């Protein structure tokens, strides 16, 4: 019974998030465009699916993934656990003693990004627009690898206590360098993937990890060091997606003209 | 009807596949590394099922409503040929979806606590809620401006890398003169603005617009709106901090 009530609560709150947008879109369509939407029924049903789906998804996360993720972040940064699995023989814990944290950070960053709904939306679109040249799975895997590496490196930064600006500055220098060399078509998509990753699933989990770490490591402040992980998680996907584009060019040099023709073809279709 | 329930089942299957990596990661770590019993197994399974079906419903509804709407509006606006309404639409969409964003509410409330601790504002309820509201308005304004600039870029075909990298250089400059306690909040607010509903809509808008304008490549010009929406909040919040410290 509680569960059903709870489910309604989640669906109601997602309706509150979605409805203002829906109302704005309908009003704009009616009064500015001055025409009703084609197949209103289908769109209304689609909105119901979006609202119910988002509600169930968030409730499911609260029930399973979030408590589990927070618990594991806590357990992996527990002084007792760190003491038991350390690599260095004695004295204070060195940065390398946190190897399970790095592994977990990379694995959880990768896997939660694969499940990020906003990223799926962008990948589906990119796949259609590029005429299949950008694979749905390829793009998502590229972004997920970027987030995994980013979060892992971000954990290292918290533990080692290095300034955030060095990493972010160096990261953007790499982005600038890659932008000049990567195929032009991938660049806007790569820049977008930075913002897309920090959404519903990934942020709460990596924030929990960052806070746990900042509390476990002596001399770190949760307030000052907790936010760095999100910045890492938005920067590294840009690098990995640009790299994905560069790799694709290297591997399919012969296919590249075909992909460009597909894009041009679609452009012409729209123009007609 | 039959084909739609088939499509839904297909979405459910693929969302199960999408969640598989998480299940494997948590399972492996739990069994081999942490080795501690997990309580509430039933609610974990139930939660997992809810996530799978929720995701499937969301993706199904996305293809049915959000994508077609975003594109239909972009096409209609491009056909209407009114730059004013195009910009107005982009701005209101960005501002409206951000001001009500739950993640932003949380960050703004937290930031006001930090500001009290740092002694930037007085430790009263009124000062705190004023600060939080000011922050929300600034972030919402910045996302509205971001979509406006992004749409302008699609129309004008300016270079995205130059604009984005220029933007980050401004961010770095602003960081050096901004008060230290606003920097964390500013970088955080760049991440919270792009929600699960906004991203598909904005992507469909950009791609739809780029494909209905002559001489634009949807791949080259259609993407990039999200990039602006993650950049401008950082800059605006930094400037907000600078202005507050200055007055």
């Amino acid at each position: 019974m509680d569960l059903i009530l709870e489910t309604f609560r989640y669906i109601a709150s997602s309706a509150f998030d979605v409805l203002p947008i829906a109302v704005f879109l309908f009003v704009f369509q009616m009064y500015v465009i001055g025409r009703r939407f084609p197949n209103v029924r289908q769109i209304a049903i689609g909105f119901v699916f979006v609202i119910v789906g988002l509600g169930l998804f968030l409730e499911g996360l609260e029930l399973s993934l979030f408590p589990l993720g927070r618990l594991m972040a806590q357990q992996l940064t527990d002084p007792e656990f760190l003491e038991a699995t350390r690599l260095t023989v004695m004295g204070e814990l060195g940065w390398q003693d946190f190897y399970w944290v790095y592994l977990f950070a990379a694995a959880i960053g990768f896997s939660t990004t694969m499940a990020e709904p906003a990223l799926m939306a962008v990948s589906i679109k990119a796949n259609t627009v590029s005429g299949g040249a950008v694979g749905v799975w390829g793009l998502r895997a590229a972004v997920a690898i970027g987030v995994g590496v980013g979060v892992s490196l971000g954990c290292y930064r918290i533990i080692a206590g290095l300034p955030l600006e060095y990493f972010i500055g160096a990261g953007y220098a790499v982005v600038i360098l890659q932008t000049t060399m990567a195929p032009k078509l991938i660049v806007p998509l790569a820049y977008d993937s930075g913002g897309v990753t920090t959404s519903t699933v990934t942020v709460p989990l990596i924030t929990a990890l960052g806070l746990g770490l900042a509390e476990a490591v002596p001399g770190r402040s949760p307030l000052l060091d907790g936010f760095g992980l999100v910045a890492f998680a938005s920067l590294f996907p840009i690098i990995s997606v640009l790299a994905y584009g560069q790799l694709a060019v290297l591997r399919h040099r012969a296919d590249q003209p075909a992909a460009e023709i597909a894009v041009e073809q679609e452009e012409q279709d729209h123009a007609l | 009807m039959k084909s739609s329930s088939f499509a839904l089942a297909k979405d459910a299957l693929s969302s199960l596949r999408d969640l598989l990596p998480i299940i494997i990661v948590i399972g492996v770590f739990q069994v081999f590394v942490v080795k501690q019993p997990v309580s509430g197994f039933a609610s974990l399974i139930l939660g997992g099922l809810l996530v799978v079906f929720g995701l499937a419903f969301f993706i199904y509804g996305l293809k049915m409503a959000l994508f077609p709407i975003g594109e239909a509006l972009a096409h209609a606006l491009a056909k209407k040929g009114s730059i004013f309404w195009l910009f107005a639409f982009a701005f209101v969409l960005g501002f409206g979806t951000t001001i009500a964003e739950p993640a932003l509410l949380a960050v703004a409330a937290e930031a006001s606590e930090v500001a009290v601790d740092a002694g930037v504002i007085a430790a009263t309820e009124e000062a705190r809620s004023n600060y939080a509201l000011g922050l929300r308005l600034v972030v919402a304004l910045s996302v509205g401006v971001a979509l406006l600039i992004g749409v302008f870029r699609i129309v004008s075909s300016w270079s995205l890398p130059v604009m984005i990298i220029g933007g980050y250089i401004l961010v770095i400059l602003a960081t050096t003169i901004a008060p230290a306690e606003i920097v964390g909040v500013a970088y955080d607010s760049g991440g919270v603005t792009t929600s699960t509903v906004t991203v598909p809509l904005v992507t469909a808008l950009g791609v739809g617009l780029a494909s209905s304008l002559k001489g634009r490549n949807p791949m080259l010009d259609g993407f990039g709106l999200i990039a602006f929406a993650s950049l401008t909040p950082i800059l605006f919040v930094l400037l907000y901090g600078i202005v507050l410290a200055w007055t």
Side-chain angles (χ1 to χ4, degrees):
Chain A
M1 194 59 213
D2 266 4
L3 187 75
I4 297 171
L5 271 180
E6 204 52 10
T7 308
F8 274 115
R9 220 173 49 82
Y10 273 103
I11 293 175
S13 91
S14 90
F16 265 110
D17 297 344
V18 176
L19 276 182
I21 304 174
V23 168
F24 163 63
L25 291 173
F26 274 95
V27 168
F28 197 86
Q29 177 79 19
M30 291 287 273
Y31 291 98
V32 178
I33 309 290
R35 199 152 29 96
R36 280 161 59 94
F37 277 115
N39 36 29
V40 179
R41 236 175 72 94
Q42 189 204 335
I43 284 174
I45 297 173
F47 261 110
V48 172
F49 268 106
V50 165
I51 290 172
V52 172
L54 209 55
L56 294 183
F57 181 70
L58 292 177
E59 185 184 11
L61 286 182
E62 264 326 317
L63 277 177
S64 58
L65 191 59
F66 288 168
L68 212 54
R70 283 192 206 110
L71 185 72
M72 296 189 66
Q74 231 172 45
Q75 284 168 344
L76 288 174
T77 51
D78 189 50
E80 234 171 85
F81 174 83
L82 290 170
E83 211 45 64
T85 57
R86 63 185 304 171
L87 292 174
T88 49
V89 188
M90 51 197 304
E92 273 191 36
L93 289 166
W95 65 267
Q96 64 272 42
D97 292 329
F98 291 82
Y99 58 100
W100 280 120
V101 173
Y102 304 136
L103 263 180
F104 181 72
I108 206 76
F110 178 86
S111 58
T112 52
T113 305
M114 289 299 277
E116 195 67 77
L119 177 59
M120 283 179 211
V122 170
S123 309
I124 294 170
K125 238 331 37 118
N127 182 265
T128 336
V129 170
S130 66
V134 176
V136 173
W137 267 79
L139 180 65
R140 281 170 52 202
V143 175
I145 290 172
V147 175
V149 172
V151 176
S152 192
L153 204 63
C155 285
Y156 167 71
R157 184 198 73 86
I158 293 179
I159 291 163
L162 298 167
L164 178 68
E165 302 88 84
Y166 291 6
F167 287 88
I168 302 295
Y172 277 109
V174 173
V175 168
I176 293 174
L177 197 69
Q178 274 182 303
T179 302
T180 60
M181 300 188 299
K184 260 172 139 174
L185 283 181
I186 202 84
V187 172
L189 192 59
Y191 285 10
D192 266 5
S193 18
V196 168
T197 49
T198 48
S199 197
T200 340
V201 196
T202 319
V203 168
L205 276 183
I206 64 171
T207 309
L209 188 66
L211 286 178
L213 259 185
E215 275 162 21
V217 181
R220 301 287 170 275
S221 133
L223 264 180
L224 282 176
D225 296 304
F227 74 90
L229 286 183
V230 176
F232 273 88
S234 352
L235 169 61
F236 279 80
I238 306 182
I239 296 178
S240 63
V241 173
L242 286 172
Y244 166 75
Q246 289 174 295
L247 269 181
V249 170
L250 287 179
R251 278 179 51 198
H252 304 284
R253 267 193 198 279
D255 293 356
Q256 197 58 24
E260 274 169 17
I261 289 165
V263 172
E264 273 170 21
Q265 189 64 48
E266 203 185 32
E267 230 177 27
Q268 282 163 4
D269 288 347
H270 282 296
L272 286 173
Chain B
M1 200 60 216
K2 202 168 175 192
S3 70
S4 70
S5 54
F6 176 71
L8 196 57
K10 229 178 90 183
D11 281 341
L13 259 184
S14 67
S15 58
L16 187 63
R17 196 189 51 190
D18 296 331
L19 293 165
L20 213 57
I22 302 187
I23 299 170
I24 294 172
V25 165
I26 295 209
V28 166
F29 267 83
Q30 202 64 44
V31 173
F32 294 104
V33 184
V34 179
K35 292 183 200 150
Q36 275 179 18
V38 173
S39 57
F41 208 68
S43 89
L44 285 185
I45 299 288
L46 182 76
L49 281 177
L50 283 177
V51 169
V52 169
F53 282 105
L55 198 55
F57 279 19
F58 176 78
I59 296 289
Y60 186 73
L62 184 83
K63 291 183 201 154
M64 217 165 144
L66 287 184
F67 277 168
I69 281 191
E71 272 174 31
L73 273 171
H75 284 298
L77 280 167
K79 218 166 158 189
K80 199 175 159 74
S82 157
I83 292 286
F84 170 76
W85 281 116
L86 186 59
F87 285 175
F89 176 78
F91 180 81
V92 176
L93 183 69
F95 187 87
T97 54
T98 309
I99 194 81
E101 175 73 35
L104 180 61
L105 289 176
V107 169
E110 204 177 288
S112 67
E113 299 294 322
V114 178
V116 169
D117 287 347
V120 180
I121 55 170
T124 61
E125 195 49 49
E126 205 201 335
R128 215 175 287 166
S129 67
N130 273 343
Y131 183 80
L133 183 68
L135 202 61
R136 276 173 58 204
L137 281 175
V138 166
V139 174
L141 190 72
S142 71
V143 178
V145 171
L147 293 193
L148 209 151
I149 297 176
V151 164
F152 171 76
R153 185 196 75 87
I154 295 176
V155 175
S156 68
S157 211
W158 283 14
S159 155
L160 179 71
V162 171
M163 292 176 85
I164 293 288
I165 289 166
Y168 276 106
I169 291 172
L170 284 180
V171 166
I172 292 169
L173 287 179
T175 306
T176 57
I177 52 168
E181 61 280 349
I182 199 86
V183 173
V185 180
Y187 282 78
D188 243 8
S189 44
V192 297
T193 50
T194 43
S195 82
T196 318
V197 182
T198 319
V199 167
L201 206 57
V202 166
T203 307
L205 173 75
V207 169
L209 196 59
S211 47
S212 33
L213 292 173
K214 262 210 171 122
R216 299 287 178 280
N217 180 331
M219 195 68 199
L220 212 52
D221 300 306
F223 292 93
L225 285 175
I226 308 286
F228 282 109
S230 334
L231 167 70
T232 54
I234 307 181
L235 192 60
F236 275 50
V237 173
L238 286 174
L239 293 177
Y240 178 61
I242 293 170
V243 169
L244 273 192
W246 200 42
T247 46

